[in-house]
Amino acid sequence: MELKKGYTIVYSSIFFGIIVGSLAVLAQPIFKIHPPQAYGICTICHARDFLNWFSERLFSFKFESAEVSIHYPLATTIGIIIGSILSSKLNGEFKFIKVENLVIKFFLGLAVSHFGLLIMSCPTRLVLRFAFGDPFALFAIIGLLSGITFGVMILKRL
Amino acid sequence: MISVAGSLLIGLIVGFLGQRSRMCFVGGFRDFLMIGDKDLLKGVIAFFASAWLTIWILSIVGKLLPELYSIINVKYVMYPSFLSVFLSKFMIVSLIGGLGLGLFSTLAGGCPLRQHVMAGQGRIDSIVYLLGFYIGIIIYYVSTVKFIALII
């Protein structure tokens, strides 16, 4: 599933879907990430657990955490950033690119984390929960698709 | 301890493959609506199909070898049925949450997974997005959760 494009090697997105989809489910029996179900991969939930682990020990301010990361935190988000740095350095695509609208991006990050914590999942985990058969994930995906439609309508008018 | 090592390994693989394949879960539907490009949508459907197939295979293996059932069975929570939750409070919260997630992720340029990958590539706007993302978690638990408990 490797396609050579010039001098870089690009993987197809179907290859990503097959590998990450099965790995996210196999993480439950193999790596024991299991008291919350369907918890193999999620950016917002693991980030919240990671911050909660540090904040409880440094500032004794404890908010919510899943059962699996009470003793040791889950390091998924750090792994994603490190894996991406590694891959882009090997590719030659690592470059600091500066764009305008930085203040808008900051507030968009704020808003996405609020809505994600409201339903306790990010868009990746929604598809995983839907594969596990959660009925609330179906309603959240319907909301996600309509939200994307509104976003595309706004972007086309700009 | 094995959960830390396992989650770090999964994160490394996801970050590596995600940078090479430009994969985004919100971008799948967004590209299909804006340009008609079905490439990322196939990735989302492959993720769903692969997860569903793995759950099915593991449940069959769990039934064939009953002594390993407690380890291999991944689907142990019985969800409520579809019609019994149809107009409950959490359903409306899910709809609103999904709406906000989809709208603001499209305006930002990608789902949170894609923003983590782009921050690893060196884009400054994704690094600022991630700062807002992590600070937003703390702001949510300091003040917003009490505000929402008054409404719901």
Side-chain angles (χ1 to χ4, degrees):
Chain A
M1 290 271 189
E2 292 179 10
L3 319 160
K4 268 203 195 272
K5 258 191 189 179
Y7 54 91
T8 60
I9 299 182
V10 172
Y11 292 98
S12 73
S13 48
I14 300 182
F15 186 62
F16 178 96
I18 293 176
I19 298 242
V20 177
S22 45
L23 209 59
V25 174
L26 286 174
Q28 273 190 237
I30 298 181
F31 298 125
K32 304 215 179 346
I33 309 187
H34 68 83
Q37 196 175 359
Y39 211 58
I41 175 169
C42 177
T43 41
I44 180 79
C45 309
H46 294 183
R48 174 200 67 185
D49 291 348
F50 195 73
L51 284 183
N52 182 48
W53 194 85
F54 278 105
S55 138
E56 191 179 0
R57 280 152 175 81
L58 288 178
F59 308 115
S60 66
F61 171 58
K62 175 173 132 140
F63 39 95
E64 200 172 323
S65 161
E67 271 182 54
V68 64
S69 58
I70 291 184
H71 291 295
Y72 295 108
L74 289 174
T76 315
T77 49
I78 307 242
I80 294 181
I81 297 180
I82 293 180
S84 165
I85 290 178
L86 213 75
S87 161
S88 52
K89 285 233 181 216
L90 286 177
N91 233 352
E93 285 177 1
F94 184 80
K95 205 190 318 183
F96 281 107
I97 301 177
K98 188 169 159 77
V99 186
E100 291 90 33
N101 298 337
L102 288 182
V103 182
I104 299 183
K105 292 269 174 149
F106 181 81
F107 284 108
L108 283 175
L110 221 69
V112 169
S113 78
H114 273 69
F115 281 101
L117 284 170
L118 196 64
I119 59 174
M120 308 250 270
S121 57
C122 68
T124 311
R125 195 184 173 211
L126 272 183
V127 181
L128 190 65
R129 273 167 72 187
F130 188 45
F132 267 87
D134 199 352
F136 298 114
L138 178 64
F139 297 117
I141 285 184
I142 293 175
L144 187 82
L145 296 181
S146 13
I148 297 178
T149 315
F150 286 141
V152 165
M153 282 184 350
I154 291 178
L155 284 180
K156 275 189 178 171
R157 299 265 169 97
L158 280 179
Chain B
M1 195 60 201
I2 194 174
S3 61
V4 189
S7 59
L8 191 68
L9 181 71
I10 291 181
L12 285 173
I13 293 178
V14 168
F16 194 86
L17 287 181
Q19 202 273 330
R20 297 279 163 125
S21 68
R22 196 180 63 85
M23 177 71 194
C24 176
F25 282 80
V26 159
F29 202 58
R30 174 203 66 191
D31 277 353
F32 181 61
L33 286 184
M34 274 181 101
I35 319 175
D37 181 27
K38 300 193 187 78
D39 188 28
L40 293 180
L41 196 62
K42 290 182 197 168
V44 178
I45 295 179
F47 179 88
F48 170 74
S50 161
W52 191 84
L53 228 87
T54 314
I55 296 173
W56 190 59
I57 292 178
L58 284 180
S59 76
I60 289 183
V61 169
K63 282 183 191 144
L64 288 177
L65 308 169
E67 63 266 8
L68 291 177
Y69 185 72
S70 60
I71 307 177
I72 284 193
N73 184 32
V74 283
K75 192 172 163 182
Y76 54 86
V77 170
M78 289 298 132
Y79 292 115
S81 77
F82 185 77
L83 288 173
S84 70
V85 300
F86 192 58
L87 281 174
S88 61
K89 207 183 280 182
F90 199 60
M91 173 203 137
I92 302 183
V93 168
S94 295
L95 273 174
I96 295 177
L99 201 86
L101 210 55
L103 177 66
F104 293 115
S105 289
T106 339
L107 292 179
C111 67
L113 189 97
R114 178 72 186 146
Q115 298 287 345
H116 278 78
V117 168
M118 287 208 286
Q121 252 180 285
R123 291 181 63 123
I124 307 266
D125 51 352
S126 293
I127 297 179
V128 170
Y129 177 98
L130 283 189
L131 245 111
F133 196 71
Y134 283 90
I135 292 179
I137 299 179
I138 301 188
I139 293 182
Y140 182 84
Y141 281 108
V142 166
S143 55
T144 321
V145 77
K146 300 173 190 146
F147 189 64
I148 289 179
L150 287 175
I151 299 180
I152 301 183

